[in-house]
Amino acid sequence: MRARIGTVLFLGAFFAITTNLAAQTAKSHPRVPLTLAFTWNGMAANTVGGSGFWMNGAGLQLHNQIWRGLGIVADIAGTHTGNMGSTGVGLDLLTVTFGPRYTWSRRRLRFYGQGLLGEGFGFNSLFPASRGTTTSDDNFATVTGGGVTRRISPRLGLRLFEADWVRTQLPNSTTDVQNNLRLSAGLILHFR
């Protein structure tokens, strides 16, 4: 699992850095905005039996504007609950995803939509599968959604709101699919 996390992080960082350098050398776009967001994440989830619960955590997003409103984003988010519904079993979930984001501006507000792909890592829980029950597992994850940010100064902004559909494919003894709603807010640092 650590090797996969390292590989995904390395590829995401490499992709973000190379696209930033390539865009900076282009004559039509000499300066490319790069943002780093630190977020609080709340995630609504449910168990196989339908019992709902909330997970809390934090996230980190690196966004690189490539051309006009189109950009690339790397999203790392971790959430935790000590008790899934009334099962008495906890869950820690880490998602590492990358993909395109389109942003459009209206005065100091920026609206965006994104579609990200990557890995979901579940641990400190129980994951029933055909090969037996394990306490950790990792599999495919997608994040689709959007949000609103507000620029406060040239270097500082706020993530007012972000809502994402987070789909993971961790073993759960039925469909091995989880569909969750993640809500985020936080602080943004702007670099040029």
Side-chain angles (χ1 to χ4, degrees), residues 83-96:
N83 186 6
M84 292 188 294
S86 59
T87 63
V89 177
L91 172 62
D92 292 315
L93 180 64
L94 176 69
T95 56
V96 180

Side-chain angles (χ1 to χ4, degrees), residues 150-171:
R150 185 180 194 286
R151 186 178 284 265
I152 296 173
S153 73
R155 297 276 182 209
L156 191 62
L158 289 176
R159 167 78 38 83
L160 299 176
F161 182 78
E162 181 177 320
D164 295 305
W165 166 56
V166 179
R167 184 178 194 264
T168 55
Q169 296 180 336
L170 300 169

